[in-house]
Amino acid sequence: MEEKKIAIIGAGVSGLLACKYALEKGFNPIVFEARNEVGGVWTETIESTKLQTPKCYYQFSDHPWPDSVKETFPDHKQVMNYLKSYALHFNLFPYIKFNTRIMSIDYLTPSDQDLGSWDRWGGTGKPFSSSGRWIITLQSSLNPTAENEVYQVDFVILCIGKFSDLPNMPDFPLNGGPEVFDGEVLHSMEYAAMADAQAAEIIKDKRVAVVGFQKSAVDLAAEIAKKNGAKHPCTLLFRTVHWTVPETFLTANFRNLNRFSELMIHKPGEGFFLWLLALLLSPLLWIFSKFVEVYLRWTYPLKKFNMVPEHGFFNQISSCMFTVLPASFYDRVKEGSLILKKSKAFRFCRSGLIIDEEQAPVETDMVIFATGYKSDQKLMNIFTSTFFQKCIVDSTAPFYRECIHPRIPQLAILGYSESPAILYTTEMRCKWLAQFLEGNFKLPTIKEMEEDVIKWEKCSRSYAGKGYKRACVSVLLQIYCNDQICKDMGCNPRRKKWFLAELFAPYEPKDYAKMTKLNCIQSFEI
């Protein structure tokens, strides 16, 4: 049988995992990486960045953190070293083609085939087709003028991530944008790409305004405030206040991610018993949310600085908005090195920013937008086909098993879904994908997959409300999602040794180690 060629685009966490599990199944994948090293977003971060997931959850199931890392939340250098050690341990470097940027991918199929008429994914529900292939066009990152390379492969695994490459910048009215500003304007992506010394020099003794209130914004503002002090205060400008938590709370919260807590959540396609149980236990969610809100009001001077969010804590985490606040954040506010400013709208002027209807501008020398990335557009842009582009932008529903689009054949998307622990979530989908590539199961019909993702969308919207995001699906049902993956692979989803542990103990990556086909069969027989 002809060897099937698999291309993996990106050598971040998702790409390394995809490569390792493809190799385990006897494939010979090639990984294309635009940078000159592995690590993805971890290769370019601000100096103070560290995990906001306890390391026991941000861990490969078969490659634990070294004993030398004592911290619960390792910093970005420790994370990079850990990722490199994983690639070295499983000998992944020979399969990675560095400094290679993907220009586009295009699906080649006989002209008489109508993709829209298929009943099954790829025509058969299997990973490979006898006729369809992907054409990948590559450009050298070191020499963009060189002639592009072209590869033909049987399956593509996109591991391009959500938080890189295509920054999201707000629009401004005429004569109200950065062009009228005498200072410098950056996106946090550009700032993070600088070496620590260069970043420190560019903000030294400058009045900096940071726009945003997600993780990158609060980290960046706290870091700049610490370096410049009250003499050159940093202004954090935001539209909406979100709940933020200390590291100690996060550690305790992760311990409660167990089967019992998931019984309180309604699930897609649930039966009457699970529906009734979730209904009866749902008041506990309200109590938990209110308890956390009271705790955070007590921990931080939220009322004093007008930083009490208008929405509930549970609604926020249902939308995958979960930010760990730097320990010294409100200390910087109290000392005057960090100024908090809420604004519905602002525009640029020559000397800084004009907030809402205020007459006097906020004078500043530099504005850094920490306003996220256009992840859907980035994903869409990689496809040549307008049919596949529309599959991405026109859909509000999540992907099947969070990695397969029902209408895009012979392709998987990893690392796109958000969860409490991205590495953990991605590794489970890599295990599932490897079993699928090996031919151990087929996908349902396209109609069945689309019905499944719509059920997930409705479930997610019922909790997230206006904050619903397609990529945020399993945040409340991590174990339930893993159960589905285990059943697809023929593995026993019950990974604990006794009943009470199964119900009340948290699930971690190590619980899903050694999920080979043989082990799965044996686990069901036991």
Side-chain angles (χ1 to χ4, degrees):
M1 183 181 292
E2 181 185 355
E3 180 184 359
K4 297 299 183 182
K5 295 180 180 179
I6 296 176
I8 300 169
I9 301 177
V13 170
S14 305
L16 294 178
L17 282 163
C19 182
K20 183 260 186 183
Y21 282 102
L23 286 169
E24 269 191 3
K25 298 303 180 183
F27 296 103
N28 189 32
I30 181 168
V31 183
F32 300 112
E33 170 54 51
R35 298 179 176 90
N36 61 2
E37 59 181 335
V38 301
V41 294
W42 288 104
T43 63
E44 296 178 349
T45 65
I46 66 173
E47 186 179 356
S48 59
T49 299
K50 58 180 180 176
L51 276 180
Q52 65 169 10
T53 302
K55 69 180 179 185
C56 59
Y57 292 90
Y58 197 93
Q59 176 173 278
F60 300 105
S61 63
D62 50 6
H63 187 68
W65 282 85
D67 294 336
S68 59
V69 178
K70 306 296 183 183
E71 298 85 353
T72 303
F73 299 90
D75 63 36
H76 66 97
K77 293 179 181 177
Q78 292 170 309
V79 175
M80 274 296 295
N81 289 335
Y82 179 55
L83 298 180
K84 288 177 181 177
S85 73
Y86 180 81
L88 285 168
H89 181 76
F90 291 105
N91 194 32
L92 305 183
F93 282 104
Y95 301 92
I96 304 173
K97 189 177 175 66
F98 291 105
N99 298 308
T100 306
R101 186 176 301 280
I102 303 300
M103 301 304 293
S104 65
I105 62 174
D106 192 24
Y107 190 64
L108 182 66
T109 186
S111 58
D112 60 344
Q113 285 196 12
D114 180 9
L115 276 63
S117 67
W118 280 341
D119 292 326
R120 284 193 170 271
W121 193 75
T124 63
K126 297 179 180 180
F128 303 109
S129 167
S130 58
S131 55
R133 305 196 84 192
W134 284 98
I135 310 299
I136 302 178
T137 304
L138 312 166
Q139 182 189 75
S140 169
S141 299
L142 298 177
N143 186 12
T145 60
E147 186 176 352
N148 290 342
E149 293 183 74
V150 177
Y151 280 73
Q152 282 196 26
V153 298
D154 299 287
F155 199 97
V156 171
I157 306 177
L158 288 180
C159 302
I160 58 177
K162 286 173 59 68
F163 307 109
S164 62
D165 299 330
L166 196 60
N168 178 43
M169 297 289 281
D171 296 321
F172 293 94
L174 185 64
N175 297 322
E179 69 279 359
V180 303
F181 179 47
D182 283 345
E184 190 170 359
V185 178
L186 301 173
H187 188 272
S188 57
M189 178 184 76
E190 299 169 276
Y191 184 86
M194 300 176 187
D196 291 345
Q198 182 188 4
E201 183 62 31
I202 200 172
I203 58 99
K204 184 179 179 181
D205 297 336
K206 290 182 180 177
R207 298 164 299 177
V208 181
V210 176
V211 181
F213 201 77
Q214 292 298 316
K215 180 61 176 171
S216 59
V218 296
D219 280 358
L220 185 56
E223 180 177 303
I224 294 172
K226 180 181 178 181
K227 290 180 176 178
N228 281 349
K231 187 176 180 180
H232 303 283
C234 175
T235 300
L236 181 61
L237 183 63
F238 50 90
R239 181 179 297 172
T240 305
V241 180
H242 298 296
W243 295 103
T244 55
V245 301
E247 288 181 349
T248 51
F249 170 83
L250 194 63
T251 304
N253 191 57
F254 264 86
R255 295 196 189 103
N256 293 320
L257 297 180
N258 52 39
R259 288 192 182 279
F260 179 75
S261 66
E262 290 195 2
L263 290 176
M264 307 174 197
I265 309 295
H266 286 290
K267 303 165 181 65
E270 64 190 356
F272 175 76
F273 177 73
L274 287 178
W275 173 84
L276 181 61
L277 201 56
L279 183 67
L280 294 174
L281 294 175
S282 59
L284 293 177
L285 290 176
W286 183 87
I287 293 172
F288 166 74
S289 181
K290 294 305 173 186
F291 170 79
V292 172
E293 291 170 24
V294 170
Y295 168 77
L296 294 176
R297 286 170 185 254
W298 174 77
T299 303
Y300 297 127
L302 301 183
K303 190 173 182 180
K304 178 179 178 181
F305 295 108
N306 193 27
M307 295 293 286
V308 179
E310 296 179 1
H311 55 268
F313 179 79
F314 184 73
N315 176 264
Q316 181 177 307
I317 62 173
S318 301
S319 309
C320 286
M321 289 188 291
F322 204 87
T323 297
V324 177
L325 201 65
S328 60
F329 186 86
Y330 280 103
D331 291 337
R332 305 296 170 205
V333 178
K334 290 174 184 177
E335 72 184 16
S337 60
L338 180 57
I339 300 171
L340 305 176
K341 207 159 187 64
K342 186 178 178 181
S343 165
K344 291 183 179 180
F346 70 93
R347 58 187 173 88
F348 283 88
C349 65
R350 209 172 155 185
S351 61
L353 303 173
I354 298 177
I355 310 299
D356 295 326
E357 302 302 323
E358 294 181 13
Q359 296 299 316
V362 175
E363 295 188 353
T364 184
D365 304 304
M366 176 181 291
V367 177
I368 303 178
F369 286 95
T371 45
Y373 297 84
K374 297 179 179 179
S375 52
D376 276 4
Q377 187 175 335
K378 173 186 171 182
L379 191 58
M380 179 197 75
N381 289 348
I382 202 168
F383 295 99
T384 300
S385 163
T386 54
F387 175 79
F388 293 145
Q389 289 177 352
K390 289 180 179 179
C391 286
I392 298 298
V393 297
D394 289 349
S395 173
T396 60
F399 303 132
Y400 182 72
R401 296 297 186 257
E402 297 185 83
C403 63
I404 295 288
H405 193 289
R407 296 284 176 179
I408 305 179
Q410 295 165 243
L411 179 137
I413 301 168
L414 293 172
Y416 184 86
S417 63
E418 298 180 39
S419 76
I422 297 296
L423 189 153
Y424 177 18
T425 300
T426 302
E427 184 173 24
M428 287 301 297
R429 276 124 198 95
C430 284
K431 291 173 185 281
W432 179 88
L433 183 60
Q435 294 274 19
F436 174 58
L437 291 171
E438 195 180 29
N440 294 332
F441 61 89
K442 291 200 307 183
L443 294 179
T445 64
I446 291 175
K447 182 180 178 182
E448 288 171 330
M449 287 196 289
E450 289 179 335
E451 288 175 349
D452 181 82
V453 298
I454 289 172
K455 287 178 182 177
W456 274 102
E457 179 188 18
K458 289 180 179 178
C459 181
S460 298
R461 283 187 185 277
S462 68
Y463 287 108
K466 294 180 180 179
Y468 168 79
K469 293 187 290 184
R470 176 175 58 171
C472 179
V473 178
S474 66
V475 62
L476 302 176
L477 295 170
Q478 184 84 65
I479 301 172
Y480 181 74
C481 287
N482 290 343
D483 286 353
Q484 292 182 316
I485 286 173
C486 288
K487 290 174 183 177
D488 288 347
M489 297 191 297
C491 296
N492 190 345
R494 304 289 187 259
R495 314 299 297 178
K496 304 292 186 181
K497 293 182 179 179
W498 63 302
F499 173 74
L500 288 179
E502 188 65 57
L503 191 59
F504 296 107
Y507 262 76
E508 301 177 3
K510 64 183 181 182
D511 291 308
Y512 296 97
K514 299 180 181 178
M515 290 179 63
T516 64
K517 185 177 181 182
L518 178 61
N519 284 339
C520 287
I521 294 171
Q522 289 174 341
S523 68
F524 263 135
E525 289 177 346
I526 292 172

